[in-house]
Each structure stands twice: as structure tokens, then as C-alpha cells.
Amino acid sequence: DYWGRGLVDQVIAKLPRALAAEGRALLTLSSLLSRERTVALLAEAGLAAEVVAWEVDDLPDDQRGAHIAQIQQLSDGHTLPVGDGEVLVTYLLEVRHG
């Protein structure tokens, strides 16, 4: 897990107990971690998530090629083709009890 899925999943597992009844948590993740998978795991934990902001970012120079291809092969994480290149989408999720 060299793209961060395990770390985010650990946070999701701890959030139901850590989050106050009326509390809100903010979670930032890129499209390489899959927003869809993250939202599904949050729902399984009894939490609801809403995208409150997003932006498109260029791929960092050190995250091109084989590394990205392997992440996309092993998961539903993805980049988006734009022009002659690819970009990441970064999401800000607001998480609360469902």
C-alpha cells in the first residue's frame, strides 16, 4: 500500500468512535485513492460523506509512469486525461455520523 489506502482506511475505522455526535471531520484525498471506495467504507462505518470542494492538480513529477499504472491496475483509483497529459482530482470530504 504505497499510495495511502491503508492509512485512510485506518482513519475511517477510528472515526465513528472519535467523532462527536454532531461533529464533522474533513478528509482530503486524491482520485488515486478512489472517492467511491472511501465513501462506501465510510457508509459501512455508519458515516456519511459529502464532497464540499474539489480541484484538479497536475501529477507531481515523481508520480508518473509505472507507479501510477500499478495503482490503477490494483484499485479503482484513477487519473483523468486532459489534453496531452493526465491530472489528479483532489477531494475535500465532510464526514459526519449517518
Side-chain angles (χ1 to χ4, degrees):
D1 176 26
Y2 58 98
W3 68 89
R5 178 83 257 167
L7 178 61
V8 171
D9 292 351
Q10 288 180 40
V11 170
I12 291 170
K14 294 175 182 177
L15 267 178
R17 293 182 311 279
L19 195 59
E22 299 299 322
R24 302 284 190 265
L26 296 175
L27 183 60
T28 302
L29 59 123
S30 80
S31 56
L32 288 179
L33 288 183
S34 175
R35 178 180 54 88
E36 293 81 10
R37 173 85 175 127
T38 301
V39 170
L41 289 172
L42 287 164
E44 289 174 18
L47 301 168
E50 177 183 351
V51 175
V52 294
W54 60 274
E55 67 181 28
V56 175
D57 298 305
D58 292 330
L59 290 175
D61 289 336
D62 62 342
Q63 289 193 5
R64 297 186 192 271
H67 180 78
I68 297 291
Q70 187 172 15
I71 290 171
Q72 293 179 7
Q73 181 181 7
L74 296 173
S75 73
D76 61 346
H78 61 279
T79 60
L80 298 174
V82 174
D84 293 336
E86 296 183 41
V87 297
L88 293 174
V89 180
T90 301
Y91 301 97
L92 178 62
L93 300 177
E94 182 183 77
V95 180
R96 61 191 183 294
H97 287 282

